[in-house]
Amino acid sequence: MKFGLFYEHQLPRPWDEDSEEQLLDNALEQCELADRLGIDYVWEVEHHFLEEYSHSSAPEIFLAAVAARTQRIRLGHGIVQTPPPFNHPARVAERIATLDLVSHGRVEFGSGESSSEAELGGFLIDPPEKWRCAV
């Protein structure tokens, strides 16, 4: 059996000017402890425009910070929003590959799509058209 952490960085109101920074600092400290304790992985989701549910719009940056502070814990994207209007497939591949290099091969990759009107609408994506490339 393997054990891990999964972050969406939920942050209910009320917020103050340091709330998001404290949320991320706490999560990074938890990841450092998890690595020392032998926890197997940490996964981070990608979400956009979900104010209290998820403050996780740039998971590769959070996971890079985890990589810099840990030695062995695996780093997972669970998920990267892969419809082309969210993230171009070449950029996704570049970010995953770079994270894998700086973490010395510790990356796991999960992809998916949003069904949330808030996320889709924030990127002006029509739900039935979300898999069509806007390029």
Side-chain angles (χ1 to χ4, degrees):
M1 183 178 307
K2 296 188 182 228
F3 293 93
L5 305 172
F6 187 93
Y7 287 99
E8 296 195 74
H9 300 306
Q10 294 174 330
L11 188 60
R13 287 187 168 97
W15 304 326
D16 62 39
E17 65 182 51
D18 298 327
S19 294
E20 284 183 300
E21 184 176 1
Q22 188 62 55
L23 176 74
L24 294 173
D25 284 346
N26 289 345
L28 289 169
E29 287 178 21
Q30 292 166 9
C31 291
E32 288 179 66
L33 177 60
D35 188 57
R36 289 193 308 270
L37 293 174
I39 300 297
D40 298 293
Y41 59 84
V42 57
W43 285 71
E44 168 81 1
V45 72
E46 177 184 0
H47 280 302
H48 303 276
F49 310 111
L50 303 177
E51 290 182 346
E52 294 182 79
Y53 179 70
S54 180
H55 287 238
S56 183
S57 59
E60 65 278 356
I61 294 174
F62 175 77
L63 291 171
V66 172
R69 295 169 181 231
T70 60
Q71 299 299 312
R72 51 152 301 283
I73 199 166
R74 302 227 19 110
L75 311 167
H77 279 277
I79 62 166
V80 171
Q81 300 273 6
T82 52
F86 279 99
N87 291 301
H88 191 281
R91 288 288 295 131
V92 171
E94 291 171 338
R95 293 192 326 248
I96 299 299
T98 302
L99 180 59
D100 198 51
L101 290 169
V102 301
S103 70
H104 305 288
R106 294 189 278 153
V107 173
E108 306 285 340
F109 174 64
S111 67
E113 61 182 80
S114 176
S115 60
S116 160
E117 289 292 326
E119 290 184 286
L120 294 169
F123 284 98
L124 305 176
I125 299 169
D126 183 30
E129 302 294 317
K130 68 182 165 183
W131 283 104
R132 294 181 191 256
C133 186
V135 178

